[in-house]
Amino acid sequence: MRARDVPSGRVGGRVGGGPAERGRGAGAGRNGGGGGGEVTPSAAVRTTSAGYRPRRDRLWFARTRAYTLFVLRELTSVFVAWSIVFLLMLVAAVLDGSLAGFAALAARPWMIAINVVALAATVFHAVTFLNLAPKATVVRLDGYRLPAWMIQGGNHSLWLVVSAVIAFFVLRGFQ
Amino acid sequence: MRARRSPEPYLWLLFSGGGVVAALVLPVLVLLFGVLMPLGIVDWPAADHLRGLLDHALVRVALVVVVVLCLFHAAHRIRHTSEELLGIARFDLPVALLCYGAAIAGGVVAVRLLG
């Protein structure tokens, strides 16, 4: 199932039909058939001009767990964008000298709620995106292929180190 | 036959670069500034301290890179996801222009703030 293996389900060429579009190809194939036998006028009308289009399944992402996870992972990008907006607001406040105002805004309950969700989303994004690296990068040492867990482990260690460095400079820095 | 040049490979490159940057730096920033400090679990740093950080040219450049890459990552994913979720792949060009346009606008804001 590609939705589980690939970062966004469609590496190696755009679209080609997400899960939702899959029905169409099958429909088109069916139209091409019927070469033998007698073609009645009504069948000809049905298979030539408009073609057969199955109805779009509007809830395709709710049909299987894999699709739901795929969509949830894709939607983390909305919170990645939000985090950047929030960060830019913080930077603007620091440069303006209005950090207190920003802190008051950030302490509003709805703002905290958004940011808790944003935290969950960015962590989910980080875990899934960093776990993906071995699929994109094959490291060979003297013919020995580095196993996936080593690359993933390296990525997660790097994530930890970068987070620690950022936290250090934000909270303390070299006094 | 001459192959038509497509911007897609570069957009995918920006997408994955942004994905890595977002994964490495965003969770800790949201955790600190969005959750722990507003909840009072961690004290807000002094404004002067944060101002001092932003005065480093390196920090400014890094922030602009982070903003631009993360926004392109998000724009690319939102473009494809909205097309699949809402079934609007027919309108790829306007959707793409809207998404990448917003990302570029965000990048311009970052450059003007930090430039």
Side-chain angles (χ1 to χ4, degrees):
Chain A
M1 169 124 337
R2 57 185 192 153
R4 194 178 297 149
D5 291 338
V6 165
S8 45
R10 35 186 152 56
V11 157
R14 222 194 71 222
V15 191
E21 316 265 336
R22 229 168 254 165
R24 258 180 222 171
R30 209 173 306 155
N31 287 339
E38 197 183 337
V39 180
T40 62
S42 63
V45 168
R46 227 185 310 138
T47 53
T48 51
S49 56
Y52 169 67
R53 288 248 180 138
R55 278 169 62 84
R56 213 186 110 73
D57 180 4
R58 289 180 190 284
L59 290 174
W60 61 266
F61 50 87
R63 301 294 180 214
T64 74
R65 219 175 96 83
Y67 288 170
T68 308
L69 279 178
F70 162 71
V71 167
L72 279 181
R73 202 182 53 215
E74 295 295 276
L75 288 181
T76 60
S77 55
V78 174
F79 289 96
V80 166
W82 159 251
S83 306
I84 293 298
V85 170
F86 185 71
L87 193 65
L88 284 175
M89 285 161 63
L90 169 69
V91 167
V94 170
L95 294 176
D96 278 359
S98 58
L99 184 62
F102 177 83
L105 175 68
R108 298 261 180 94
W110 58 270
M111 199 67 159
I112 294 179
I114 291 177
N115 279 324
V116 168
V117 179
L119 176 63
T122 48
V123 168
F124 186 45
H125 162 78
V127 171
T128 50
F129 214 84
L130 295 178
N131 275 343
L132 194 90
K135 299 211 192 296
T137 337
V138 175
V139 182
R140 286 184 192 283
L141 298 174
D142 212 8
Y144 165 75
R145 179 174 172 176
L146 217 59
W149 65 265
M150 278 196 195
I151 300 177
Q152 290 165 338
N155 272 347
H156 289 292
S157 312
L158 182 66
W159 180 23
L160 215 67
V161 170
V162 169
S163 300
V165 168
I166 291 176
F168 172 78
F169 278 106
V170 165
L171 296 175
R172 232 182 76 89
F174 299 106
Q175 305 280 339
Chain B
M1 199 171 90
R2 210 159 56 96
R4 211 161 62 88
R5 308 266 298 180
S6 157
E8 291 299 320
Y10 305 101
L11 295 173
W12 280 102
L13 199 66
L14 282 170
F15 162 76
S16 66
V20 172
V21 170
L24 293 179
V25 307
L26 289 187
V28 66
L29 290 174
V30 176
L31 176 69
L32 287 174
F33 291 109
V35 179
L36 294 183
M37 290 175 192
L39 285 177
I41 298 171
V42 171
D43 288 335
W44 283 90
D48 289 344
H49 171 66
L50 292 180
R51 177 78 212 215
L53 282 181
L54 286 183
D55 282 343
H56 281 282
L58 207 65
V59 173
R60 288 185 176 227
V61 171
L63 270 174
V64 169
V65 170
V66 166
V67 167
V68 169
L69 283 180
C70 289
L71 284 181
F72 261 97
H73 167 86
H76 194 68
R77 242 179 180 176
I78 289 171
R79 167 189 167 200
H80 284 296
T81 308
S82 62
E83 288 175 6
E84 288 187 0
L85 265 188
L86 310 174
I88 50 172
R90 281 162 292 165
F91 308 111
D92 181 50
L93 187 65
V95 172
L97 289 179
L98 192 71
C99 290
Y100 300 125
I104 292 171
V108 170
V109 169
V111 169
R112 292 188 57 156
L113 265 179
L114 296 162

